[in-house]
Amino acid sequence: MASSTSSLPPQKSARHIAIWLFFMCGLVAAMVIVGGATRLTDSGLSIVEWRPVTGAIPPMSETDWLAEFEKYKTIPEYEEVNFGMSLAEFKDIYWWEWGHRLLGRVIGFAFLLPLIFFAATKQLTRGLSLKLAGLFILGGLQGALGWWMVSSGLADRVDVSQYRLAAHLSLAVLLFTAMFWLALDLWPQTKVSASDKLRIGALALAGGVFAQMILGAFVAGLRAGRTFNTWPLMDGKFFPDGYFTGGPSFNDLFETMAAVQFNHRIGAYLLAAGAVWFYLAARKGNYEGRARLVLAAVGLQIVLGVWTVLAATPISLGLLHQAGALIVLAAALYAAHGVKAPPVSHAATA
């Protein structure tokens, strides 16, 4: 994620573009949280068609609502989970999914229109233009990936595939990461020289946060947060029942509630150990401030995660935990971005 100052626009323009990108990060974070709400409220399959343009208009009459409801009745989730639900109940889940998709459209315009403005007013360098165009394309692919995820739950399942859910979240987090890093590139700041060990450690820690968020997607995909609601053990055991019950297989990692929650817990412990190491190493390297921020964010997120598990993942705590993960990621990226290689010694090169 190295940046080149020669590819940056003038300072005033760079600051404006950075503010816009930070705002976009906020919108993507909101999108992730609303997506989590659709999952926790079982709303994600309430709209069974992908209509990128006309889908922005919700049902406007009772006839329209009944037509949408009839389409929903054709999928397995209605037959096996929500059979007999009322039209009013259907509207409750429909609005969550419609809002999620509408927010995706809003994000698209909130990115495209300022991008056109900055390009038209010649505030973008060629390199920055290519990076922003790439982000816009990835955003469009995210919409297609979202539909690919939804389509997995329309025929042979009563839920979307946890693998596709993880892929959908992965791209959202990747977009957040890329925009946040680029905004930091554009924002004036002073970097601290650090050893290769600390710089690599900072990047590894940010990567660990990303991986932990994806492990969390599998927990959400299988609704595993509403089982094994004890801590520190899982129903009295370190390895819960249902994990490695037979021969080791891929299924043991990502296809049982016991496995995905255990993996997510272990990921949190490893991340906590990494944050402590990074803080201690940063203190020796005169880089304590940002490292302390990461350590505090990780610690609070673990406390929130334990609380969420013990409470069997109510919607409010589930969404707060998801928001906390994005805060931890932002803190880790901020810390990783703030370190640079020490200057090369002239004596060493002589």
Side-chain angles (χ1 to χ4, degrees):
M1 292 185 179
S3 62
S4 173
T5 55
S6 62
S7 66
L8 301 181
Q11 184 174 358
K12 183 177 180 180
S13 294
R15 185 184 292 270
H16 290 162
I17 297 167
I19 291 172
W20 163 57
L21 288 173
F22 282 132
F23 173 73
M24 290 304 306
C25 287
L27 287 180
V28 171
M31 185 71 169
V32 170
I33 294 168
V34 174
T38 64
R39 184 62 183 163
L40 289 170
T41 58
D42 293 323
S43 304
L45 297 177
S46 57
I47 302 178
V48 301
E49 296 174 322
W50 189 38
R51 295 174 293 165
V53 178
T54 58
I57 302 174
M60 303 299 289
S61 67
E62 195 71 4
T63 300
D64 292 340
W65 276 112
L66 289 172
E68 290 297 313
F69 194 20
E70 288 302 316
K71 294 174 186 176
Y72 177 67
K73 289 180 179 180
T74 64
I75 69 171
E77 182 183 75
Y78 174 79
E79 291 290 337
E80 299 181 33
V81 179
N82 290 328
F83 186 80
M85 76 183 313
S86 67
L87 179 60
E89 291 170 328
F90 171 70
K91 289 180 179 181
D92 287 340
I93 62 173
Y94 185 96
W95 282 122
W96 273 114
E97 176 63 11
W98 181 82
H100 184 53
R101 297 190 187 193
L102 179 66
L103 183 55
R105 296 179 174 93
V106 169
I107 289 174
F109 281 109
F111 194 93
L112 179 60
L113 296 181
L115 176 59
I116 293 173
F117 170 78
F118 287 127
T121 54
K122 302 186 184 304
Q123 297 186 62
L124 303 178
T125 62
R126 177 177 175 81
L128 184 56
S129 296
L130 291 174
K131 291 176 182 179
L132 292 173
L135 288 173
F136 181 73
I137 292 171
L138 282 179
L141 291 175
Q142 175 71 336
L145 186 60
W147 172 247
W148 180 64
M149 177 192 70
V150 169
S151 65
S152 68
L154 299 180
D156 302 318
R157 303 170 56 105
V158 297
D159 261 324
V160 299
S161 162
Q162 69 269 32
Y163 297 105
R164 297 190 188 188
L165 176 66
H168 189 47
L169 179 64
S170 295
L171 185 51
V173 177
L174 180 62
L175 280 167
F176 178 93
T177 297
M179 286 193 295
F180 193 80
W181 192 273
L182 184 55
L184 291 174
D185 280 345
L186 296 167
W187 192 261
Q189 59 180 308
T190 301
K191 294 190 176 186
V192 175
S193 297
S195 65
D196 289 341
K197 182 179 180 181
L198 187 62
R199 288 186 291 114
I200 293 172
L203 289 172
L205 189 60
V209 177
F210 184 98
Q212 176 67 351
M213 292 181 72
I214 306 313
L215 291 177
F218 283 97
V219 174
L222 293 178
R223 293 184 177 82
R226 290 173 174 167
T227 60
F228 300 101
N229 301 117
T230 60
W231 186 85
L233 299 178
M234 296 177 66
D235 288 354
K237 298 180 180 180
F238 181 75
F239 285 105
D241 291 333
Y243 200 13
F244 291 113
T245 53
S249 69
F250 186 75
N251 292 0
D252 284 320
L253 294 177
F254 302 110
E255 297 193 5
T256 66
M257 292 184 183
V260 297
Q261 192 187 129
F262 178 82
N263 296 341
H264 194 49
R265 290 189 184 205
I266 295 301
Y269 302 148
L270 292 174
L271 197 60
V276 170
W277 170 86
F278 181 62
Y279 175 72
L280 295 176
R283 288 184 66 184
K284 298 178 183 178
N286 194 30
Y287 191 61
E288 185 176 351
R290 297 192 190 197
R292 185 190 300 114
L293 179 65
V294 174
L295 182 61
V298 170
L300 289 173
Q301 177 68 349
I302 289 177
V303 170
L304 182 57
V306 171
W307 184 14
T308 302
V309 166
L310 294 177
T313 316
I315 293 176
S316 57
L317 285 179
L319 298 183
L320 191 59
H321 187 53
Q322 197 160 27
L326 289 166
I327 293 173
V328 174
L329 178 62
L333 292 172
Y334 179 62
H337 192 276
V339 292
K340 65 179 180 179
V344 178
S345 170
H346 293 295
T349 58

